[in-house]
Structure formats: C-alpha cells, structure tokens
Amino acid sequence: MRYLLELLGVAVFAVSGVLADGRKGLDLLGAVVIAVVTAIGGGTLRDVLLDRHPIFWIANVTYLWVILAATLVTLGYVRFRVASRRALLVADALGLAFFTIGGVQVAQQAGHSDPIALLMGAITGVAGGVLRDVLTAQIPLVLRPGRLYATAAIVGGAVYLLSAGAGAPKDAAALAGMAAIVALRLAAILWGLELPVVHLPEDEAG
Amino acid sequence: MRYLLELLGVAVFAVSGVLADGRKGLDLLGAVVIAVVTAIGGGTLRDVLLDRHPIFWIANVTYLWVILAATLVTLGYVRFRVASRRALLVADALGLAFFTIGGVQVAQQAGHSDPIALLMGAITGVAGGVLRDVLTAQIPLVLRPGRLYATAAIVGGAVYLLSAGAGAPKDAAALAGMAAIVALRLAAILWGLELPVVHLPEDEAG
Amino acid sequence: MRYLLELLGVAVFAVSGVLADGRKGLDLLGAVVIAVVTAIGGGTLRDVLLDRHPIFWIANVTYLWVILAATLVTLGYVRFRVASRRALLVADALGLAFFTIGGVQVAQQAGHSDPIALLMGAITGVAGGVLRDVLTAQIPLVLRPGRLYATAAIVGGAVYLLSAGAGAPKDAAALAGMAAIVALRLAAILWGLELPVVHLPEDEAG
C-alpha cells in the first residue's frame, strides 16, 4: 500500500516535470531528464544528507521505470489534448503530501529528532521541484510567493509529528498530515493565499 | 569558544542570505530557506564530500535555531532601518574567515592532505553563497570579478597551513589565517581590488 | 593506460570549462573554479550517489593538478590565438566517451545492475557540464536540442553493456562503447542531428 503510494508520487512528479518542460523547448531526452530529476531529486537529497545507502532508486529500479513510463505517456497524451490543469494540481498536491510524510517517517526511523525529521520531510517534498527549476534556469517556484507550497509541507509534517507524538496511531497520524497538506495547498490555490513578500533595500553583500 | 564562533559564523551568513533576498521578492518562507542554505550550504557540501556523518547541523540542531533566530531578527530589523552595509561586510568577512579555517581543520582532522584541506576550507567558506546565488538564478558572485572573495579564503587557508606546517601553535596559525582572510577581503572592498577578468572569444563547445 | 586516459578526460573537460567561461566575464579564479567543476562534477556526483569514498579526486590529488595545469595552459594559449573549435569538439567527444564508459564500469564493479550502471555512466559523462551551465546561469546544453550529447553517452554505454553481456572481452566492449559515443556525437555535429523538441502548452504547475 505505502509502496504503491510512493510509486504514484514518483509518477505524478514526473508528469509535473514534463509539463514544466513545455515552456523551455527542451529535446526529448532533456524532457525525460527533467522528469527524472523532479521525481527523485527530493528523496535523493534526503538519502544523501542522512547517509542512507543504497539510495532508494538504486535499491529499487522500479522507480525509474515508473518515471520513464509516466513521462512517455504524458508526452504522448499532450500531443492530443491539453492536460487538465486542475487534475494536475490535485495530483501534484497528493505527491507533495506523500513525499513529505514519507520523508518525515524515513528520518524518524533513522533515529533523528523531530525538527530534523520535519526538515527532511520538507526537503523530500520540495527539493525535486527546486532542482527542476534550477535546471531550467528559473528562481524556484517554492521560494517565490507560491501559494503555500513549502508551507503546506511544513504544516502537514508538523501535524503528523504532533499527532503521532500525542499518541495517535501512526497510520492515522500520517493520514492527518497528508490531508493537511492537500487541504492547505488546494485552499491556497483556490483562494490565492500567500505568505507576505519580503521587500528589502537593494544590497550587494556577499 | 570555537563553537561560539561557529554559531556566530552561521548567524552572520544567514543575515547575508536574508539581505540578498531583498532584491528578489521572495516570500517569508523563501527568505528563510535562502538564509538556511547560505548558512549551512558550505559545511554541508564539505561533510557530504568527506563522508562525515551525521552532517554538522543534523548532529546539532542548535545551528538551525540560530539561523532561524538570526533570520527573523534581520527581517524585523530591516523594516525599521537599512542595515549598515559596512557592518554587514565586516561580519560577512568574519564569517568567511571562520568557516574557511574551520573547514581546513575539519579536513585535516579527517586525515586529508594539505591541498584537499585547502580546497575543503574554500568550499566551506564560499559554497553557501554559491548555492544562494544559484537558487536566485544569478551567476554566483564568487565567480565574477568579486573583490577577492574566494581568493581571500584560499590565501588565508594557505597562511594557516603554512604557519601550522612551520611549527606554529595551531591556535596562532588559525588566528593568522583568519586575520589574512579578513584583511585581504576588506582591503579588496576598500580599494576595489580584483583579479584579472577572463575574456575569450565566443564559443559553444559542450 | 586507463589512468592516463582518465587524466586526459579530466584535462579535456577542464579546457571545455575554461572556454565556456569566455562568454561570461568571470575573473581568473572563477575560470579555474568552472574548469574544476566541469572536469570533476560528473565523477563526484557518481561517487556521492554510489557512496564511494574517498571520492576519486580526494583519493588521488593528481586529478586536481592536471586540471589546474590544463586551465592555465588554456588561458595562456587563447591569449595568442583562437582555439580550433574542431579540435575542441573532438577532444570533448573523447572526454565524454571515456567518462561515460568509465562511469559504467565503476558502477558495475560496485555490483549495480545494468540500468543503474548505464545511468551512472551518463551522469559521469554529462553532469560536469550541467553544473558548469547551472553555475553560469544557463539552461544546461545537455537538456536543449543538443546534437545528441547525452544520447551519445546513453547509446555508447548500452553498446558497452550489451557487448560485454554477450561475452565480448571487457576491453573490446569498452572500445566499442567509446567508439559509438565519439562517432554518434561527431556525426550529430557534422550533420546537425537532433532529437525532436518537446512543445507543450504553457502551464505553471508546481
């Protein structure tokens, strides 16, 4: 069950990576590369930082095949009709939810404290998209006034940690955390919620 | 004492990251992310390359709290007045000095040779700023005619290694190296010193 | 013999990194940094992902000296005459060929399956150039309609794996794979071969 969700998360993020490519005029292989990086970037960074080897997609190559299949299906599909943007956003929110809570659990199982687990959850959820944006030479969406993308990951991770810490069954806590992420993200898109923007005077320190 | 200096270095780099954000219209969480990446990026890269686990901020979460506090204080402060650019540059030079020498020492303690230790020192000192610039889609300051930022790190690291190699007490050598970094960096800012710029004919090899 | 080829590959990629710098007005140290990152980036990423420590250039500092020498010679040379673009492209194709096949072999020796070995070969071959482009704030060449750069790496790696799997002697298989990479890459440059470009409707999923 969890493994299936995980594969689904990888596939959804691959689709999101492919669709983001459309703006850039990449070639076919470039599109696949971006899809792969988007889908496995967050979990890879988490595994490297936590020294978990072999990295999840090296330990189980199925992830890579799922990404490849999702990418090719997407590329074929969008030749015929525009993907429903709404469906994509819902799927992407689900991917964020599963990756984040999965990342928190992985860090907890490795014996890390709650703040580190929360951070690793957020990294797992958002780093793939950050890498996608860096590779296409854009300021990562997650850093811009972005309708609570990373915020949703952090809030949902905290919901999971707090409810599990309060004695809730682990699965129930995970569901609560994932629901919080999806709800917050979709609400933010629906009503255009944003965190305040930082405006500072020009400076070239560094 | 060294631990306090280290926390100070992290805080100073976090402030530098936040102030760099001002130009980009990031949201509040984006500003925190950039501050964290700037402050821990160099040490994290060093630890991953040297296979030192747990990574320093996973081993000791205090670093993250200090960064968060420094970021929030900075964000609150700059609403009321412009930070003194001069104070920031001095603090940043101190951060560079401490991170670089600390990075050299870490690599030495892990049994690495002087050239590797020097490189790790420079990576520790400058990689956080490089990541900050990559994430905000700019060519890293440290690669541009930059008033001897990386140069100061390399020269100071060499001063430390040479004086320690010549038999100087380790603390004295560290102070000499740090002084060299701060002096060279501030002199370069004051007098606009730069390395020669490379101009080559256009080419698209790759 | 293999070690010499490896050093040659590093040197060639360093030269390619320096020449790419010419467009950006970096300073002298920035040019050296880009050359180093281009030359060792792919192998470093491979070693970190496969948990091979010490990383190759930490285990053997000769790589770094070769890069430094190649960079300085290149910088001196281009002051006097424009480098032959044709010679550079051939050398770059050779570097790609050796790095890719070497990366495949490293992953195989560590006991990984063929798909992972192929992926690691491609990462070893192209990631250095990707880092070079990210650091100079460009969309990586390898993702753009790029005359089969990454494609050549994947095809050549597959040629090596298939012929070694079919019982060919390892050295012969390696030569066949490297020849395939150089031939495909140079043919693509000569005749302007490209993979189809992906054009999708605008979307801001993420």
Side-chain angles (χ1 to χ4, degrees):
Chain A
M1 171 66 179
R2 167 159 172 199
Y3 179 55
L4 276 178
L5 276 174
E6 218 163 24
L7 289 176
L8 188 67
V10 164
V12 167
F13 272 4
V15 172
S16 133
V18 175
L19 293 176
D21 285 354
R23 288 167 290 181
K24 291 289 174 176
L26 306 181
D27 72 13
L28 199 59
L29 186 62
V32 173
V33 169
I34 292 288
V36 170
V37 166
T38 307
I40 69 175
T44 302
L45 184 54
R46 174 202 63 204
D47 286 354
V48 166
L49 293 176
L50 292 182
D51 198 25
R52 291 179 79 234
H53 291 280
I55 289 171
F56 75 102
W57 51 269
I58 293 178
N60 182 352
V61 187
T62 308
Y63 290 107
L64 298 178
W65 297 122
V66 168
I67 292 167
L68 200 58
T71 303
L72 296 180
V73 167
T74 306
L75 286 172
Y77 184 76
V78 292
R79 286 192 182 281
F80 299 107
R81 54 165 291 188
V82 173
S84 155
R85 191 149 170 281
R86 189 165 301 181
L88 178 71
L89 287 173
V90 172
D92 188 72
L94 286 171
L96 178 67
F98 183 73
F99 270 39
T100 301
I101 302 300
V104 172
Q105 290 178 337
V106 161
Q108 273 192 317
Q109 280 162 13
H112 293 287
S113 63
D114 281 6
I116 292 294
L118 187 57
L119 194 59
M120 287 298 154
I123 286 174
T124 309
V126 309
V130 169
L131 284 173
R132 176 196 63 207
D133 293 340
V134 165
L135 286 180
T136 49
Q138 301 175 86
I139 297 182
L141 264 172
V142 79
L143 299 176
R144 288 179 287 169
R147 300 191 176 172
L148 308 188
Y149 198 79
T151 309
I154 290 171
V155 168
V159 164
Y160 167 75
L161 285 169
L162 292 174
S163 46
K170 200 175 157 184
D171 283 352
L175 277 175
M178 288 165 63
I181 291 171
V182 173
L184 187 50
R185 172 72 176 144
L186 295 183
I189 292 169
L190 205 57
W191 294 307
L193 305 181
E194 295 187 359
L195 290 181
V197 174
V198 174
H199 286 299
L200 302 182
E202 289 267 330
D203 195 292
E204 51 164 299
Chain B
M1 172 66 179
R2 170 160 168 198
Y3 179 55
L4 276 178
L5 276 174
E6 220 163 24
L7 290 175
L8 188 67
V10 166
V12 167
F13 272 4
V15 171
S16 134
V18 175
L19 293 177
D21 286 354
R23 290 167 288 179
K24 291 287 172 176
L26 306 181
D27 71 12
L28 198 59
L29 186 62
V32 172
V33 169
I34 291 288
V36 170
V37 166
T38 307
I40 69 176
T44 302
L45 184 55
R46 176 201 62 206
D47 285 354
V48 166
L49 292 177
L50 293 182
D51 199 26
R52 293 178 79 235
H53 291 279
I55 288 172
F56 74 103
W57 49 269
I58 293 178
N60 182 353
V61 187
T62 309
Y63 290 106
L64 297 177
W65 297 123
V66 167
I67 292 167
L68 200 58
T71 303
L72 296 179
V73 167
T74 305
L75 286 171
Y77 183 77
V78 291
R79 287 192 182 281
F80 299 109
R81 51 164 293 187
V82 174
S84 155
R85 188 149 172 282
R86 187 164 303 181
L88 177 71
L89 286 173
V90 172
D92 188 73
L94 286 170
L96 177 67
F98 183 75
F99 270 39
T100 301
I101 301 301
V104 172
Q105 290 179 336
V106 161
Q108 273 192 316
Q109 282 162 13
H112 293 287
S113 63
D114 280 6
I116 293 295
L118 186 56
L119 195 58
M120 288 298 155
I123 287 174
T124 310
V126 309
V130 170
L131 285 172
R132 174 197 64 208
D133 292 340
V134 165
L135 287 178
T136 50
Q138 300 175 86
I139 298 183
L141 264 173
V142 79
L143 299 177
R144 288 180 287 170
R147 301 192 176 171
L148 308 189
Y149 198 79
T151 308
I154 290 171
V155 169
V159 164
Y160 166 76
L161 286 169
L162 291 174
S163 47
K170 200 173 155 185
D171 283 354
L175 276 175
M178 290 165 62
I181 291 171
V182 172
L184 187 50
R185 171 72 175 145
L186 295 184
I189 293 170
L190 203 56
W191 294 306
L193 305 180
E194 295 187 357
L195 288 182
V197 174
V198 175
H199 286 298
L200 301 183
E202 289 267 327
D203 194 292
E204 51 165 298
Chain C
M1 172 69 180
R2 169 160 170 199
Y3 178 55
L4 276 178
L5 276 173
E6 217 163 28
L7 290 176
L8 188 67
V10 164
V12 168
F13 272 5
V15 171
S16 135
V18 174
L19 293 177
D21 286 355
R23 290 168 288 181
K24 291 290 176 176
L26 307 180
D27 72 13
L28 198 58
L29 187 62
V32 172
V33 169
I34 292 289
V36 171
V37 166
T38 306
I40 69 175
T44 302
L45 184 54
R46 175 201 63 204
D47 286 353
V48 166
L49 292 177
L50 294 181
D51 199 26
R52 292 178 80 234
H53 290 282
I55 288 171
F56 73 103
W57 50 269
I58 293 178
N60 181 353
V61 188
T62 308
Y63 290 107
L64 297 178
W65 296 123
V66 168
I67 292 166
L68 200 59
T71 303
L72 296 180
V73 167
T74 306
L75 287 171
Y77 185 75
V78 293
R79 286 193 182 281
F80 299 108
R81 50 164 292 186
V82 173
S84 155
R85 191 150 168 281
R86 188 165 303 182
L88 177 72
L89 287 173
V90 172
D92 188 73
L94 286 171
L96 177 66
F98 184 75
F99 270 39
T100 301
I101 302 300
V104 172
Q105 290 180 337
V106 161
Q108 273 192 315
Q109 281 163 13
H112 294 286
S113 64
D114 280 6
I116 293 294
L118 187 57
L119 194 59
M120 287 298 155
I123 287 174
T124 310
V126 309
V130 170
L131 285 173
R132 174 197 65 207
D133 293 340
V134 165
L135 287 180
T136 50
Q138 300 177 85
I139 297 183
L141 263 172
V142 80
L143 299 175
R144 287 180 287 169
R147 303 192 173 171
L148 309 189
Y149 199 79
T151 309
I154 290 171
V155 169
V159 165
Y160 166 76
L161 286 169
L162 292 174
S163 47
K170 199 174 157 185
D171 283 353
L175 276 175
M178 288 165 63
I181 291 172
V182 172
L184 188 50
R185 172 71 176 145
L186 294 184
I189 291 169
L190 204 55
W191 294 306
L193 304 181
E194 295 187 356
L195 289 181
V197 173
V198 175
H199 286 299
L200 302 183
E202 290 267 327
D203 195 292
E204 51 163 298

